């Protein structure tokens, strides 16, 4: 029966509207099979079909959520050491969170014990179920309205896993982002020691492909963490500067490192100059500027181009000699980006910029508290609120007046065009 139902639901010609009148009956019989069947393979197959229905039918499953969730504890308990069945249970609950949206909080009496057992990297079945447990936690956080203390504590398990292994790094990094987004500064004030230590461990261990997975976490932290407390991140910044000095580092990794320091310049440019000087003097800061200026032209993301541009322009006010001597090199980039945003017809889509690169399991939803949290943070982000063309124009003209910047005729015409009203 399950095999036939799976073939029907997992077909290209499957239409949700046609299946919906029969969904309750199908789910009812499917749940009976799961609860009363003692054959392990049949239970796994039944759960597999249930997950497929949840995925295909989405929020239409809401009216039957109580029936589905109510049988989970009994099935979990009977599964004992049957990890394959527990994986199917976790996958089903992961899909249920996406179906229920904000109303998923009503299931927390069942959700929290499942997470406490399955996300624990020292648990007896961790090697088998951790990946599915992390995906489940990711969806719980995405649709959570607020951060319950029992769920907040799970960040310790996630960080412990990240310190030990880079396996499942994309989903683990997104989970940390989700924790920071929903918990904000109060969450960071409690857990910043663990999170910052984990960032240092991971950034020192991952290769060039892994580093861009982690830098968005640091960007988010820099938006929320107080400027006065930035010194506690010196160790993390020092690791990034060490990687910056490595000539073998990939361009993509270098661009992501430069974006972190651009974000730091937006937060506190003077601290960036001081910290880079302490890390290795003018040579380190000069290397940072060279990477920042030379690699920025290859950045495909409009958001990253704006962050890099805003950071550079604000860094000019520090009057650091290494920057002043490179004004002629940075001018073409900042003028190009200034002109790009002067001609921009539509505002940046922060959600698309945030989710289109790394994490393929993200499910967009009309009822998505995490998307709202990210959008609200973007509304007050200085990178978003700054009017870039006038800022670039003013800073460039200021340096021309001081005799520190000399533009060729093409760039001079570009500056003039940038300075005029549209």
């Amino acid at each position: 029966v399950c095999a036939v139902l799976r073939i029907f639901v997992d077909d290209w010609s499957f239409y949700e509207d046609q299946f919906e009148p029969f969904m309750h009956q199908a789910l009812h019989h499917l749940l009976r099979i799961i609860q009363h069947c003692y054959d392990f393979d049949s239970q796994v197959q039944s759960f597999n079909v249930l997950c497929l229905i949840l995925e295909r039918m989405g929020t239409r499953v809401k009216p039957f959520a109580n029936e589905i969730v109510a049988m989970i504890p009994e099935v979990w308990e009977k599964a004992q050491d049957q990890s394959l069945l527990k994986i199917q249970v976790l996958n089903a609950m992961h899909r249920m969170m996406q179906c229920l949206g904000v109303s998923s909080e009503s299931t927390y009496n069942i959700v929290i014990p499942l997470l406490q057992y399955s996300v624990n990297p020292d648990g007896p079945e961790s090697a088998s179920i951790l990946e599915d447990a992390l995906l489940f936690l990711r969806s719980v956080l995405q649709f959570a309205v607020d951060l319950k203390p029992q769920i907040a504590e799970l960040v310790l398990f996630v960080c412990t896993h990240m310190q030990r292994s880079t396996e499942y790094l994309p989903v683990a990094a997104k989970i940390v982002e989700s924790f920071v987004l929903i918990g904000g500064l109060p969450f960071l004030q409690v857990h910043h020691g663990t999170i910052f230590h984990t960032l240092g461990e991971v950034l020192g261990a991952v290769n060039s492909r892994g580093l861009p997975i982690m830098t968005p976490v640091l960007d988010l932290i820099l938006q929320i963490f107080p400027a006065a407390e930035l010194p506690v991140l010196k160790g993390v910044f020092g690791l990034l500067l060490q990687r910056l000095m490595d000539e073998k580092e990939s361009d993509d990794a270098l661009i992501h490192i430069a974006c972190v320091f651009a974000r730091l310049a937006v937060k506190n440019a003077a601290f960036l100059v001081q910290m880079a000087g302490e890390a290795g003097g003018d040579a380190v800061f000069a290397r940072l500027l060279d990477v920042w200026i030379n690699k920025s032209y290859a950045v495909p993301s409009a958001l990253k181009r704006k962050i890099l541009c805003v950071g550079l322009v604000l860094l000019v006010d520090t009057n650091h000699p290494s920057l002043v001597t490179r004004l002629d090199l940075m001018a073409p980039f900042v003028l190009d980006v200034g002109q790009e945003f002067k001609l921009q017809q539509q505002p940046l889509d922060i959600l698309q910029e945030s989710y289109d690169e790394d994490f393929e399991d993200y499910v967009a939803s009309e009822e998505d508290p995490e998307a709202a949290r990210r959008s609200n943070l973007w509304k007050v982000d200085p990178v978003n609120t700054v009017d870039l063309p006038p800022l670039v124009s003013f800073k460039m003209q200021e340096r021309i007046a001081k005799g520190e910047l000399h533009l060729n005729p093409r760039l001079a015409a570009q500056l003039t065009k940038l300075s005029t009203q549209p």
Side-chain angles (χ1 to χ4, degrees):
V1 174
C2 290
V4 173
L5 185 56
R6 178 178 181 82
I7 292 171
F8 174 70
V9 177
D10 196 23
D11 190 271
W12 283 105
S13 59
F14 175 81
Y15 294 99
E16 290 83 355
D17 291 339
Q18 294 179 1
F19 180 67
E20 188 170 11
F22 309 100
M23 183 170 60
H24 187 199
Q25 186 178 9
L27 287 172
H28 175 73
H29 290 295
L30 195 57
L31 296 181
R32 284 179 61 86
I33 293 173
I34 291 172
Q35 290 176 288
H36 300 293
C37 178
Y38 290 96
D39 176 55
F40 168 72
D41 291 335
S42 297
Q43 281 189 311
V44 171
Q45 187 179 6
S46 302
F47 254 110
N48 193 272
V49 177
L50 173 62
C51 292
L52 183 60
I53 292 174
L54 294 176
E55 182 179 357
R56 297 299 296 265
M57 298 303 292
T59 56
R60 301 172 194 236
V61 179
K62 273 187 179 183
F64 320 112
N66 289 337
E67 292 180 53
I68 298 171
V69 175
M71 60 96 181
I72 293 295
E74 181 183 357
V75 174
W76 183 268
E77 185 177 353
K78 288 181 178 179
Q80 296 181 352
D81 60 348
Q82 298 288 355
S83 297
L84 285 177
L85 181 56
K86 288 185 175 179
I87 287 171
Q88 293 299 325
V89 172
L90 293 171
N91 192 17
M93 290 302 293
H94 164 49
R95 298 299 174 190
M96 279 303 304
M97 298 301 102
Q98 297 169 343
C99 296
L100 291 173
V102 295
S103 59
S104 60
E105 185 174 344
S106 64
T107 67
Y108 279 8
N109 62 317
I110 293 172
V111 164
I112 290 174
L114 287 178
L115 289 173
Q116 289 171 332
Y117 177 86
S118 59
V119 179
N120 183 357
D122 293 318
E125 298 174 90
S126 175
S128 302
I129 67 175
L130 182 59
E131 180 180 13
D132 297 274
L134 291 173
L135 291 170
F136 177 25
L137 174 57
R138 172 73 183 91
S139 60
V140 169
L141 291 169
Q142 178 186 347
F143 295 104
V145 177
D146 53 28
L147 187 57
K148 305 300 181 188
Q150 303 99 312
I151 295 178
E153 292 298 322
L154 296 175
V155 73
L156 303 177
F157 284 158
V158 177
C159 287
T160 298
H161 167 70
M162 294 173 74
Q163 291 169 25
R164 295 175 181 176
S165 171
T166 57
E167 195 173 20
Y168 318 132
L169 187 61
V171 62
K174 287 299 179 185
I175 286 171
V176 176
E177 278 192 69
S178 294
F179 272 122
V180 175
L181 277 168
I182 188 172
L185 184 57
F187 172 80
L188 281 176
Q189 287 172 330
V190 174
H191 295 288
H192 72 270
T194 299
I195 293 174
F196 295 172
H197 175 70
T198 301
L199 281 173
E201 290 284 323
V202 177
L203 289 172
V206 295
N207 58 22
S208 292
R209 289 182 298 171
L211 191 143
I213 296 172
M214 295 304 302
T215 51
V217 180
L218 194 49
D219 179 272
L220 186 60
I221 289 171
L222 285 173
Q223 293 180 60
I224 296 172
F225 209 60
E229 298 179 35
L230 287 174
V232 300
L233 279 162
K234 274 188 176 181
V236 175
F237 295 139
L239 280 168
L240 289 178
L241 288 174
Q242 288 178 24
R243 298 198 64 155
L244 189 79
M245 300 298 289
D246 186 354
E247 297 289 345
K248 297 179 181 179
E249 202 70 77
S250 71
D251 283 355
D252 189 41
L254 291 173
I255 287 168
H256 279 80
I257 292 172
C259 284
V260 169
F261 287 112
R263 173 63 72 180
L264 182 56
V266 173
K267 190 79 171 187
N268 190 332
F271 174 77
L272 167 56
V273 173
Q274 175 192 345
M275 185 268 306
E278 292 173 356
D282 290 345
V284 170
F285 190 62
R287 167 66 175 169
L288 171 60
L289 292 175
D290 288 339
V291 168
W292 197 331
I293 293 168
N294 296 330
K295 305 297 183 184
S296 295
Y297 292 95
V299 176
S301 161
L303 173 61
K304 288 184 175 65
R305 286 196 299 274
K306 189 173 186 183
I307 291 174
L308 290 164
C309 181
V310 173
L312 265 181
V313 172
L314 293 178
L315 206 55
V316 169
D317 288 338
T318 65
N319 292 308
H320 192 283
S322 295
L323 184 58
V324 172
T325 58
R326 287 169 171 79
L327 286 172
D328 290 352
L329 297 175
M330 66 171 273
F333 171 69
V334 298
L335 287 170
D336 283 348
V337 178
Q339 188 65 25
E340 173 189 351
F341 280 88
K342 183 175 182 178
L343 300 174
Q344 188 183 46
Q345 299 296 318
Q346 298 291 333
L348 285 173
D349 185 341
I350 188 62
L351 298 180
Q352 181 180 355
E353 291 277 353
S354 300
Y355 292 120
D356 65 355
E357 291 185 5
D358 305 313
F359 189 58
E360 62 184 19
D361 198 73
Y362 177 79
V363 175
S365 169
E366 296 178 2
E367 195 179 78
D368 189 343
E370 182 165 298
R373 287 188 282 269
R374 199 174 285 275
S375 295
N376 290 336
L377 189 62
W378 176 242
K379 288 176 184 177
V380 297
D381 187 340
V383 174
N384 179 43
T385 58
V386 67
D387 192 354
L388 189 57
L391 177 65
V392 171
S393 175
F394 175 77
K395 296 297 182 183
M396 295 296 97
Q397 290 176 352
E398 185 179 54
R399 294 295 156 165
I400 291 172
K402 292 181 178 182
E404 298 170 342
L405 174 61
H406 306 88
L407 300 180
N408 61 38
R410 183 184 68 81
L411 292 177
Q414 193 172 349
L415 177 59
T416 301
K417 189 175 181 180
L418 188 66
S419 306
T420 58
Q421 294 295 322

